């Protein structure tokens, strides 16, 4: 897929509206993981070096059309100013006369950050009047928000009806890296983890015909184990999903796609770092205990499979990696992916965060800034925000 990149635009002296995805975790009023901010820097630096005035648009969380104080972008502006080493002017809103006046008064080299665009309901409903109001703030539109490319919102889709639209450098980089998965070298292996089974089932269903093997860990695994009659003790399971899980397993058999579940797990009474921790058979977890990570035998078996693959995609941690006694599974699998010669892609903020924590990011072929967007791409879903960016 060829995109119309910013190098084709004449940005000198122009006001350039840049849609970024600064939907980042905050903690104590500060940005807790700045990976998405850092990923946007090449585009911002390019525009500033070419004497553009930069106006940034982002969402944060899901405020559902009202102002939520905790979802203001001020902490993001502060963090970005540090990274860029220049002032970033945080505006009070994303549309309206005060905003246009402030932007109009700006000069080439200035950076503005509009307030959370989802404070207006018209953003997610992609209302055309709202898209036009946003568009009036700039001469050109650049979409660098790969992580929101699966959303048909005013700032990702509607706005491009009103302005010449270009793909930012991050957008181009993400699409190039993920496009390599369209004709993958085989064996092609997927690793699927994460807390909630429900959010991963659609992806599993769509991955079955595309990949050769799927390794399942994290919370997802316990619903799979339990659906096949295993005793998973007090682990979180979603019984409503059993039927769909059986359908996925039947499809995997027809397609000759192997699905591997954990054989042993690390269990605890709860998520506390100082409670008693044991390892047991994944199909016989005692009552009152919950599975919180994959066990060492599973790590070994999964690592073995990873080392035979030529292409690996991974979304979702395999255990509660943020709590030390339950981090070994995600770390062990990360080390195997790092060690393998396969083309490896990691999607999702949490998995990327885990790899950063273990110091493994540099040994992964590509770590995507997208979670849902990356999964949508892997599943072959239509990505509405890309349409306006095609060359
Ligand atoms: C993400 O973090 O996945 C993106 O920013 C999209 O957020 P959303 O799922 O709330 O649309
Ligand atoms: Mg999401």
């Amino acid at each position: 897929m060829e995109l119309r990149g910013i190098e084709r635009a004449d940005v000198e002296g122009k006001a350039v509206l840049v849609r970024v995805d600064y939907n980042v975790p905050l903690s104590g009023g500060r940005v807790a993981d700045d990976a998405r901010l850092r990923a946007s820097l090449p585009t911002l630096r390019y525009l500033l070096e070419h004497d553009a005035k930069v106006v940034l648009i982002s969402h944060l969380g899901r405020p559902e059309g009202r102002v939520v104080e905790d979802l203001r972008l001020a902490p993001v502006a502060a963090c970005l100013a540090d990274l860029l080493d220049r002032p970033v002017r945080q505006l009070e809103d994303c549309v309206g006369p005060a905003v246009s006046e402030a932007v109009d008064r700006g000069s080439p080299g200035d950076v503005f950050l509009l307030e959370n665009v989802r404070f207006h309901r018209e953003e997610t409903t992609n209302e055309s009047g709202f898209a036009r109001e946003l568009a009036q703030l700039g001469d050109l539109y650049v979409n660098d928000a790969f992580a929101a490319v699966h959303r048909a919102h005013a700032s990702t889709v509607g706005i491009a009806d009103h302005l010449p639209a270009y793909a930012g450098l991050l957008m181009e980089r993400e699409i190039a890296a993920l496009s390599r998965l369209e004709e993958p070298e085989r064996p092609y292996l997927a690793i699927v983890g994460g807390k909630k089974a429900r959010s991963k089932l659609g992806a599993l269903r769509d991955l079955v015909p595309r990949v050769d093997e799927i390794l399942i860990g994290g919370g997802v695994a316990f619903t799979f184990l339990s659906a096949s009659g295993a005793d998973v003790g007090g682990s979180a399971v979603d019984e409503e999903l059993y039927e769909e899980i059986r359908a996925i397993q039947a499809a995997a058999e027809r397609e000759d796609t192997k699905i591997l579940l954990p054989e042993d797990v690390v269990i605890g009474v709860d998520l506390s770092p100082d409670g008693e921790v044991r390892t047991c058979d994944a199909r016989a977890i005692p009552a009152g205990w919950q599975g919180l990570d994959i066990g060492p035998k599973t790590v070994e078996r999964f690592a073995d499979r990873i080392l035979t693959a030529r292409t690996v995609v991974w979304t979702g941690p395999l255990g509660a990696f943020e709590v030390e006694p339950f981090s070994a599974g995600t770390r062990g699998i990360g080390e195997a992916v790092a060690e393998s010669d396969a083309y490896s892609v990691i999607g999702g903020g949490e998995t990327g965060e885990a790899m950063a924590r273990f110091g493994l990011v540099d040994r992964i072929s590509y770590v995507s800034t997208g979670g849902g967007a990356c999964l949508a791409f892997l599943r072959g879903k239509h990505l509405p925000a890309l349409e306006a960016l095609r060359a």
Side-chain angles (χ1 to χ4, degrees):
M1 182 187 316
E2 222 205 311
L3 299 177
R4 198 179 324 105
I6 44 172
E7 49 301 326
R8 301 195 197 184
D10 175 15
V11 302
E12 203 184 310
K14 305 270 171 62
V16 181
L17 278 171
V18 187
R19 178 53 157 106
V20 286
D21 190 319
Y22 291 164
N23 184 27
V24 294
L26 300 179
S27 155
R30 297 175 64 92
V31 172
D33 176 8
D34 66 0
R36 283 184 175 177
L37 275 67
R38 281 186 285 105
S40 74
L41 296 178
T43 294
L44 305 189
R45 292 202 175 113
Y46 176 93
L47 292 172
L48 294 169
E49 276 160 19
H50 288 80
D51 286 322
K53 169 163 72 180
V54 174
V55 183
L56 300 167
I57 311 176
S58 180
H59 73 283
L60 175 61
R62 295 178 176 173
E64 300 187 336
R66 49 197 184 87
V67 176
V68 174
E69 291 302 326
D70 287 348
L71 294 178
R72 287 197 181 273
L73 282 167
V76 170
C79 180
L80 183 64
D82 277 349
L83 292 171
L84 273 177
D85 199 20
R86 68 163 76 204
V88 171
R89 272 199 61 196
Q90 162 72 48
L91 301 180
E92 293 273 300
D93 199 348
C94 60
V95 287
V99 172
S100 352
E101 274 161 39
V103 170
D104 282 349
R105 278 199 304 272
S107 319
D110 285 350
V111 180
F112 294 92
L113 175 61
L114 304 181
E115 186 53 283
N116 192 344
V117 71
R118 287 192 187 169
F119 285 174
H120 294 262
R121 189 169 304 281
E122 299 86 342
E123 160 65 358
T124 51
T125 56
N126 189 14
E127 204 261 320
S128 65
F130 180 71
R132 192 176 319 110
E133 266 194 275
L134 284 173
Q136 275 160 2
L137 297 171
D139 306 307
L140 297 171
Y141 170 70
V142 171
N143 190 344
D144 216 17
F146 170 76
V149 82
H150 56 320
R151 304 292 182 219
H153 295 170
S155 68
T156 60
V157 170
I159 192 170
D161 290 342
H162 307 284
L163 287 175
Y166 298 87
L169 298 171
L170 173 62
M171 183 70 85
E172 289 192 290
R173 195 164 161 248
E174 292 268 6
I175 298 300
L178 295 176
S179 296
R180 271 187 71 174
L181 300 171
E182 282 171 341
E183 279 169 55
E185 261 192 74
R186 293 184 181 271
Y188 181 10
L189 178 143
I191 308 165
V192 178
K195 287 191 196 83
K196 284 199 208 99
R198 194 172 284 268
S199 65
K200 291 290 160 68
L201 280 202
L204 284 165
R205 189 182 349 109
D206 292 346
L207 283 173
V208 162
R210 293 173 169 255
V211 306
D212 302 302
E213 202 162 348
I214 304 178
L215 314 179
I216 300 183
V220 190
F222 297 103
T223 300
F224 264 78
L225 286 162
S226 160
S228 66
D231 201 341
V232 297
S235 310
V237 299
D238 190 341
E239 292 180 16
E240 282 175 22
L241 304 179
Y242 286 0
E243 207 171 310
E244 196 176 341
I245 285 175
R246 291 191 195 108
I248 290 170
Q249 281 167 325
E253 224 159 279
R254 280 197 306 277
E255 302 273 352
D256 202 21
T257 299
K258 285 192 207 73
I259 295 185
L260 267 69
L261 294 172
E263 54 190 274
D264 63 340
V265 289
V266 180
I267 59 174
V269 173
D270 54 33
L271 247 184
S272 122
D274 344 285
E276 196 189 334
V277 174
R278 295 188 199 160
T279 298
C280 75
D281 186 325
R283 308 189 66 88
I285 301 177
W289 291 74
Q290 43 179 312
L292 293 165
D293 194 14
I294 57 174
K297 275 196 237 152
T298 303
V299 171
E300 208 177 302
R301 193 167 60 121
F302 281 11
D304 222 51
R305 303 310 309 148
I306 291 164
L307 293 172
T308 67
R310 297 297 309 149
T311 305
V312 175
V313 297
W314 179 8
T315 169
L318 299 162
F321 76 92
E322 61 286 2
V323 183
E324 177 46 38
F326 311 111
S327 66
T330 303
R331 182 196 289 266
I333 294 309
E335 280 165 356
V337 175
E339 197 180 315
S340 104
D341 297 325
Y343 180 64
S344 54
V345 172
I346 288 184
E350 253 201 321
T351 320
E353 212 185 304
M355 290 305 98
R357 183 181 297 212
F358 303 141
L360 295 169
V361 170
D362 294 344
R363 295 168 63 203
I364 310 295
S365 310
Y366 191 72
V367 179
S368 175
T369 56
C374 186
L375 218 47
F377 190 103
L378 295 180
R379 297 170 66 178
K381 292 254 180 211
H382 172 69
L383 300 171
L386 280 188
E387 290 311 316
L389 310 178
R390 284 180 192 274

